[in-house]
Amino acid sequence: MTDRRPTSAPTGQGTSEPASACPPPEAVPRSTAEVARRLALLWDPPTPSPLGRRARLSLTAVVDAAIGLVQESGLEALSMRGVAARLGVGAMSLYTYVPGRTELVDLMIDRAYEAFELPDPEADWRPALEQYARQLHALLGRHPWMLTLNRTRLPLAPHVLDADEAGLRTLIDTGLPEHRVVEVVELVNGLVWGLASTAAREAAESSETGQGYGEYWQEWSGFWVTYFDVERYPTMTRVYQAGAFDDGVDFDRVLGRLLDSVENTIDQYSTGASPASRHD
């Protein structure tokens, strides 16, 4: 959960300044107009006019085509021209629906989040938080192109915020202070994004090279005989001899460990014995 709160109260609401203090239109930065345009497209998209000829395209078709393109070629390949070619129209036709690439990416992210199955608000915190984590992991598995994005700057889009709300809701009534709730959800997000990114990169490299994970490391097996020094790396040797590297990093197991830790933290707060209070 990243912080997407407003940095100030709306003009004339909860401030000491009157609404007349708003700068004249010519003083509004160009970026402000861009933000307004992006938000309007996400929250109040234009509806097709019932008059005249039926439109050949739709906003939904444009977004679907864009997602299809990046699924095949990566986000760096996204362009208005490329999406238009996929739809069999001229690039200028797209601008009727989307002002540009930035707004298109906003819409693609929100579309990806549509499939996020939100936890039941009445569910206990642990199964609800586990579902939240698994749904996010599944989403990133379906849309690995999202892993190239800055997750701290995802758009303020309806379905993105629905997921954010659901994540916070899983813990808000557990007895954890609000700032601890944010920390825990962010820890879950970081774990999920990190493991999903590693898996996606491995899958991409295996596909590009035709060499799987095991085959790659088998190719380098001579290193352990020729160069590896057990005296220089005693901890690594001990871990290896215990077979701890054999299982790899399993998402289910790691998520379970994290949820155990969260449960322990909740229990500590409920008894008033939280060691975390030293750092509040």
Side-chain angles (χ1 to χ4, degrees), residues 194-207:
L195 293 180
S197 178
T198 299
R201 290 176 185 276
E202 174 58 36
E205 193 156 343
S206 294
S207 177

Side-chain angles (χ1 to χ4, degrees), residues 126-205:
R126 180 157 181 153
L129 186 57
E130 180 176 353
Q131 180 179 338
Y132 170 86
R134 291 186 181 281
Q135 284 296 307
L136 181 58
H137 193 254
L139 182 155
L140 296 172
R142 290 190 299 269
H143 300 279
W145 54 270
M146 287 187 59
L147 293 164
T148 64
L149 299 168
N150 179 356
R151 69 181 180 87
T152 67
R153 298 195 182 193
L154 295 183
L156 295 170
H159 296 98
V160 176
L161 292 186
D162 285 345
D164 284 349
E165 170 74 11
L168 294 171
R169 186 175 60 222
T170 64
L171 294 168
I172 197 63
D173 293 324
T174 60
L176 291 179
E178 286 79 359
H179 61 285
R180 291 285 179 251
V181 170
V182 172
E183 289 175 355
V184 170
V185 175
E186 181 57 20
L187 186 61
V188 171
N189 288 338
L191 172 71
V192 173
W193 279 74
L195 293 180
S197 178
T198 299
R201 290 176 185 276
E202 174 58 36
E205 193 156 343

Side-chain angles (χ1 to χ4, degrees), residues 27-247:
V28 176
R30 213 165 74 180
S31 61
T32 302
E34 178 185 340
V35 168
R37 184 176 66 243
R38 291 170 66 180
L39 289 174
L41 193 59
L42 287 164
W43 289 90
D44 189 23
T47 55
S49 172
L51 305 176
R53 295 174 56 187
R54 183 176 181 180
R56 181 179 177 184
L57 296 178
S58 67
L59 185 59
T60 297
V62 172
V63 175
D64 286 346
I67 290 177
L69 176 61
V70 300
Q71 293 283 46
E72 294 176 3
S73 305
L75 191 59
E76 66 278 0
L78 180 66
S79 68
M80 300 295 277
R81 186 180 300 276
V83 175
R86 194 176 183 90
L87 290 166
V89 298
M92 293 304 296
S93 300
L94 300 190
Y95 292 99
T96 303
Y97 303 92
V98 186
R101 186 182 187 277
T102 299
E103 292 84 358
L104 182 55
V105 172
D106 287 347
L107 292 166
M108 291 163 60
I109 295 169
D110 197 49
R111 176 65 58 77
Y113 268 86
E114 277 190 37
F116 197 113
E117 295 181 14
L118 304 177
D120 184 342
E122 302 303 319
D124 290 340
W125 75 264
R126 180 157 181 153
L129 186 57
E130 180 176 353
Q131 180 179 338
Y132 170 86
R134 291 186 181 281
Q135 284 296 307
L136 181 58
H137 193 254
L139 182 155
L140 296 172
R142 290 190 299 269
H143 300 279
W145 54 270
M146 287 187 59
L147 293 164
T148 64
L149 299 168
N150 179 356
R151 69 181 180 87
T152 67
R153 298 195 182 193
L154 295 183
L156 295 170
H159 296 98
V160 176
L161 292 186
D162 285 345
D164 284 349
E165 170 74 11
L168 294 171
R169 186 175 60 222
T170 64
L171 294 168
I172 197 63
D173 293 324
T174 60
L176 291 179
E178 286 79 359
H179 61 285
R180 291 285 179 251
V181 170
V182 172
E183 289 175 355
V184 170
V185 175
E186 181 57 20
L187 186 61
V188 171
N189 288 338
L191 172 71
V192 173
W193 279 74
L195 293 180
S197 178
T198 299
R201 290 176 185 276
E202 174 58 36
E205 193 156 343
S206 294
S207 177
E208 290 169 6
T209 63
Q211 187 180 51
Y213 179 82
E215 295 170 314
Y216 173 84
W217 286 111
Q218 181 61 37
E219 189 176 75
W220 290 84
S221 60
F223 163 82
W224 307 104
V225 175
T226 306
Y227 296 104
F228 187 76
D229 184 346
V230 296
E231 293 183 359
R232 183 172 180 174
Y233 304 110
T235 307
M236 194 179 299
T237 301
R238 177 178 169 182
V239 170
Y240 170 77
Q241 290 176 340
F245 288 126
D246 296 346
D247 294 335

